[in-house]
Amino acid sequence: VPELDPALVRDWQAGGGELIDLFAQARARLGGVAAFRLGPHPTVLVTAPEAVQHVLALRPDLYVKRSHRARLLIGDGLLAATGDAWQRQRRVLQSQFTGRGMRRYEQRISEAARTAAARWAAYARDGQVLDVGEEMRRFALDTIWRSLTGHPLDPGTERELAAVPAVVAALPSLPADGVAAQGAVAAELARIDALSGRAIAAARTAGAGPHGPGLLHVLLEAADTSPEYTDRLIRDELVTLLVAGHETTATTLTWLHLLLDRYPQARERALAAGAEGSPERHRAVQALVHETLRFYPSAWILPRHAAGDDVLAGYAIEAGTDVLVCPYLTHRDPGTWEDPGRFDPDRFLTPGRRPTRPGSYAPFGLGPRACLGLQFALRESTVLLEHLLPAHVPHFHSVPAKAAYGLTVRPDGPTPATLGAVATI
Ligand code: HEM
């Protein structure tokens, strides 16, 4: 694999640059499969669509997850599990996230969206300043909490759950191998364990909420027949669903509002596509979500480890190589997408306007480890936006100057706004 000149890596390090700058340089100079060296071993960056498809969808047996740091928080949950355990765990949850299973969660998603819309109506009435990012986080957390437990998120639980993003934020700076949490992180983890314990006990004794059993009840049922589902594993799945299911959706919705601020015509077009509640409106709003995910795929890097030797796009990959798939750069490559710097939701509406090469669009990953919550995420985003977009336009007081490239790519700073009325066309 062609490797980036070490002098360039040193310059980048000296300049205190973001990882994305290093990746973009490797991609621009060396192409869609490129290596760079931060330590003794090279890391291979994969952005060419065929290679993305190969790693994620065609050879998932060879390119495996390791998730050392994440395990501290999510333990053996689905996101980190491998082998037979992963297969078993995926089967248990899969039925809830496709077709008929998803219907069980429609009500909860709608209720969370109505609750958020009512909050926005109150902010608008009072001329109050809100933080759009915070609001989107609250909505996503409420949605997943209702889906897990059957109950809306109460203020006490919301406060306790702040421990989850606190641990997520601390993860990248922890040592990668054999980690034991210490200090503040250990205290946050203890809070998360206590909260999970209470939620599991409540689901066991009080049973389901008004809309029938939630995801937590499905996990408890699995424990009846499958001894692997210990209380520890149920805790791990609960935390996994909280982590995987809220930050990604929340940042996507936040980016979407920031993008609409820059491209107001996109909002007008979506609202003009059809009447409220019509399939045309629904499709147009979903296209906004897809184009946002092309611009800012919140899971911007998908790390893998080569478990054996392979040939990737004509290059030899040795067993033990770290591989980073980066959909973010694939989505912005002019060789793959036409005019990629332009926010243009119509690509996802008009047939033939977007690339069909496998691997060219992968905000939810690809292959067997692709996002379990894809339909759920699209549904909750679209339902919320169908409430908010026709009613309010956020006027941002300031917008973050750049993105922060951590575990997810998110706006680097607060997003204060007041809400204005939508001009009717
Ligand atoms: C996995 C993205 C929302 C649950 C993934 C992966 C991506 C992703 C890229 C694959 C990671 C990899 O291959 O390394 C997103 C985005 C979302 C979103 C962009 C929102 C816009 C959700 C929601 C849930 C969820 C709402 C749950 C309710 C999961 C789980 C996995 C996963 C459990 C692990 C699946 C497995 O390994 O079998 N997600 N996700 N995600 N996601 Fe999502």
Side-chain angles (χ1 to χ4, degrees), residues 186-258:
E188 301 285 13
L189 281 170
R191 275 171 72 192
I192 295 169
D193 286 351
L195 176 71
S196 312
R198 283 198 300 277
I200 293 169
R204 215 173 243 140
T205 53
H211 303 306
L215 291 163
L216 204 42
H217 304 92
V218 171
L219 293 166
L220 287 169
E221 264 167 43
D224 289 341
T225 50
S226 181
E228 292 85 4
Y229 278 86
T230 57
D231 272 13
R232 184 71 203 172
L233 184 58
I234 295 173
R235 173 261 175 229
D236 289 350
E237 292 292 43
L238 169 68
V239 177
T240 297
L241 289 166
L242 277 172
V243 172
H246 102 274
E247 161 88 10
T248 42
T249 307
T251 49
T252 304
L253 287 166
T254 309
W255 281 123
L256 190 144
H257 280 106
L258 290 169

Side-chain angles (χ1 to χ4, degrees), residues 161-172:
L161 281 173
V164 175
V167 175
V168 170
L171 285 180

Side-chain angles (χ1 to χ4, degrees), residues 78 81-92:
L78 187 57
T82 52
D84 291 347
W86 167 75
Q87 212 146 45
R88 188 167 46 235
Q89 287 168 234
R90 177 104 188 185
R91 214 175 303 126
V92 164

Side-chain angles (χ1 to χ4, degrees), residues 303-327:
R304 295 292 191 271
H305 185 75
D309 294 341
D310 189 29
V311 177
L312 176 63
Y315 299 116
I317 302 285
E318 276 179 33
T321 305
D322 285 322
V323 173
L324 292 177
V325 176
C326 184

